[in-house]
Each structure stands twice: as structure tokens, then as C-alpha cells.
Amino acid sequence: MIVDRLPEHLCEDAVVLWEDAGLTRPWNDPRADLARALAGPSSTVLAAVEEDGLVGTAMVGHDGHRGWVYYVAVRPSHRGRGLGRALMAACEQWVAGRGIPKMQLMVRTGNAGTRDFYERLGYAVQDTVVLGKFFDPRRQARQSG
């Protein structure tokens, strides 16, 4: 398995993987998220690729103080083989290699299995609340209810 920047020809496969993994939401356009991450100077999308194609992804970036990771997904047929752990290690290396001192991520409240996965990797619950606001009122309305 190779973990490296997502090749352009696998971008649509990444979106399908995210949709199949339940990571997308109707108020967020995963293709736009992907394009921004790949185009930005402080972000990228890493891909785990094997002979049978794309098997995992992780979007990683930083704000100058902390790294962030999103869209961590592994194809169901490849879970339990350490790919998620390998993707997270690659994200941590990517962030640390840019001199960023910490990594953060968000897990949806009801997703206990994913939270357990990250805790096994050494991530801890922080005493913070994440607030958000869309600038487009139509997207805000979709997200709110």
C-alpha cells in the first residue's frame, strides 16, 4: 500500500468512498471540499492506494497553529488491516513536517466507534465546543434543520 497525495484520476473515487462511509452531508459539497484542499497551500488529500485502486483517504491541513484532519475513510473491504492508522500517521507526519505543534479533528457526537479509534491513537477529548455558521443562508437552513 502506498499513501501519498490523491492523484487527480482518483478524485471521483474519493467522493464515492466518502459518500459510502457516511461522511458527507447535504449542506456540504464534497467535490468542492476536495478541490479546495488540493488547491490550497496548507492542505492536501492523502490517499491509500493498492493494486485494486483507492482504498482510503484523509484530508489534512493546518491553520498555522494546529493541524486538522477530515474525510478519513477506508473502504469497508479493507478495514481492520491498519489502513486508518497508516493514514493518520501520514497526516501527522504531513502536519509535523510543516512545524505545526498539534493535530485536531472532529467526530460527530453519536459516532462512538470512530471516537474510540482516535482515542486508541492517542487523541483525547478537549474541553471545547465547535460552533459554525454558513455565509449562505440557504446552506445554514439546510444544516440547521
Side-chain angles (χ1 to χ4, degrees), residues 90-106:
C91 288
E92 290 171 1
Q93 287 179 311
W94 189 94
V95 168
R98 285 153 179 80
I100 306 301
K102 73 185 282 190
M103 176 82 94
Q104 292 190 177
L105 52 92
M106 295 180 281

Side-chain angles (χ1 to χ4, degrees), residues 27 139-145:
W27 52 84
R139 290 181 77 192
Q140 182 70 25
R142 288 181 77 189
Q143 190 269 330
S144 299

Side-chain angles (χ1 to χ4, degrees), residues 3-8 11 14 18 30-48 54 56-63 66-73 87-98 100 103:
V3 176
D4 204 352
R5 182 180 165 89
L6 179 72
E8 188 174 332
C11 285
W18 298 344
R31 288 167 185 83
D33 290 347
L34 177 60
R36 279 190 298 271
L38 291 174
S42 59
S43 59
T44 195
V45 178
L46 299 177
L54 181 69
T57 64
M59 182 182 290
V60 62
H62 71 85
D63 60 18
R66 56 183 71 77
W68 287 92
V69 65
Y70 306 91
Y71 288 112
V72 177
L87 283 162
M88 286 303 297
C91 288
E92 290 171 1
Q93 287 179 311
W94 189 94
V95 168
R98 285 153 179 80
I100 306 301
M103 176 82 94

